[in-house]
Amino acid sequence: EDTGKGRLAVIIGGGNGIGAATAQVLSERGWKLAIVDRDFDNAQRIASEPFDRRTVNSAPSSERSSAAT
């Protein structure tokens, strides 16, 4: 089984749908996540879901370029 221990995933569009499901699976496998979505409230909701036992950050996609610097 692939564990994500020590790995970081940036999930663009992680506030719902496939992105949110991907966040859940990767979190359960030990990945650290950065969730980016146009809807900040959705990104925060996913970041605070109970499946998260690791570091999860969220930011609205309008801040992507400033967050990357």
Side-chain angles (χ1 to χ4, degrees), residues 43-65:
Q44 289 234 307
R45 180 182 53 79
I46 295 301
S48 65
E49 288 288 322
F51 65 77
D52 176 38
R53 298 180 303 273
R54 290 126 188 124
T55 302
V56 179
N57 299 306
S58 61
S61 60
S62 62
E63 295 180 13
R64 274 190 305 209
S65 59

Side-chain angles (χ1 to χ4, degrees), residues 9-23:
V10 177
I11 302 176
I12 310 285
N16 58 49
I18 293 171
T22 301

Side-chain angles (χ1 to χ4, degrees), residues 8-48:
L8 170 67
V10 177
I11 302 176
I12 310 285
N16 58 49
I18 293 171
T22 301
Q24 181 174 2
V25 169
L26 293 179
S27 178
E28 290 170 351
R29 293 184 179 179
W31 288 66
K32 291 183 180 181
L33 305 175
I35 299 173
V36 182
D37 197 277
R38 286 184 291 162
D39 185 326
F40 184 71
D41 292 334
N42 276 348
Q44 289 234 307
R45 180 182 53 79
I46 295 301
S48 65

